[in-house]
Amino acid sequence: MALQRHQNGMEADIARVLIDRERIAERVDELAREIAAAYPLAGDGIVIVPVLAGALIFVSDLIRRLPVKAQIRMLLASSYTGTSGAEPRILYGPGEQVRGRHVLIVDDILDSGRTLQAVVADLSRHEPASLRSCVLLRKPGKAPEGVAADFIGFDIEDVFVVGYGLDFNSYYRNWPDIAVLRPELYT
Ligand code: IMP
Ligand code: MG
């Protein structure tokens, strides 16, 4: 590979890899099979709604392994910090395009659950035939019981992670593994 691992400007910021790219690829394969089995649909197929930008990398790998007829409709939620008190808002979404359809939300991580809750509330207004969700990562025990994902890639410890779509200040989304940054970078 031509990638210069020690000259890419990110390597030095990574403290440790939590889930490496090979393990991610295996699990994405399994998830695709689980999801396909849950949607024995013909006709219009399903509508996949990725939550941007965190789901960017995950959804692009997932949909290419998913043998289900699907439309992709983007959704953009405002980012927020857990301590700010501001609720996430839906800045852009599929609106009426989900009415009467089987909808699968795809997000990077289920943490406090506030983002998924806001997305579900927004899409529900347009009365989809069914509404399920898939997250790559979950920090167990943090979201309220009523806010649960139907398909989960990995449960992880309660640490801030980056890579494979997840960011810190919009950086590191293109790091191929799920990793933990060196703590001094957060301060
Ligand atoms: P929640 O609304 O608290 O469930 O968090 C969901 C959103 O917060 C995710 O879509 C991420 O954008 C962001 N987030 C939560 N935890 C992490 C993390 O460990 N790393 C990067 N982003 C995170
Ligand atoms: Mg996000």
Side-chain angles (χ1 to χ4, degrees):
M1 276 283 243
L3 181 72
Q4 298 291 302
R5 286 184 65 88
H6 296 283
Q7 294 174 20
N8 64 22
M10 290 187 284
E11 177 97 13
D13 298 343
I14 305 292
R16 66 190 166 103
V17 171
L18 201 63
I19 309 170
D20 68 31
R21 59 201 79 180
E22 289 81 17
R23 182 72 193 106
I24 296 170
E26 283 171 14
R27 186 68 188 117
V28 171
D29 264 348
E30 291 169 4
L31 274 175
R33 283 197 289 274
E34 288 173 30
I35 292 167
Y39 288 106
L41 295 168
D44 291 341
I46 69 174
V47 182
I48 295 175
V49 179
V51 181
L52 297 178
L56 177 71
I57 311 288
F58 174 42
V59 80
S60 65
D61 281 346
L62 183 69
I63 57 179
R64 287 177 293 169
R65 287 162 177 76
L66 194 62
V68 172
K69 183 175 175 180
Q71 292 174 312
I72 317 293
R73 304 285 192 192
M74 306 296 176
L75 182 146
L76 179 64
S78 65
S79 58
Y80 71 98
T81 56
T83 51
S84 72
E87 287 304 312
R89 285 179 304 116
I90 308 307
L91 304 176
Y92 175 84
E96 281 298 302
Q97 291 167 330
V98 302
R99 184 171 296 278
R101 304 294 305 279
H102 294 284
V103 175
L104 178 67
I105 300 162
V106 177
D107 204 356
D108 52 0
I109 186 166
L110 181 61
D111 186 6
S112 75
R114 290 157 77 195
T115 302
L116 185 60
Q117 196 164 28
V119 172
V120 166
D122 184 78
L123 295 177
S124 297
R125 288 191 295 120
H126 303 282
E127 301 180 320
S130 70
L131 186 54
R132 282 184 269 196
S133 57
C134 174
V135 295
L136 178 68
L137 304 174
R138 174 176 66 172
K139 295 178 183 171
K142 294 196 72 187
E145 259 179 45
V147 188
D150 300 278
F151 306 95
I152 295 155
F154 302 95
D155 279 330
I156 62 165
E157 59 199 277
D158 189 9
V159 288
F160 192 84
V161 290
V162 298
Y164 200 71
L166 293 113
D167 73 300
F168 175 60
N169 193 23
S170 282
Y171 286 112
Y172 310 107
R173 291 196 200 277
N174 57 327
W175 185 258
D177 312 297
I178 292 163
V180 180
L181 291 177
R182 289 163 48 159
E184 59 266 34
L185 291 166
Y186 299 116
T187 56

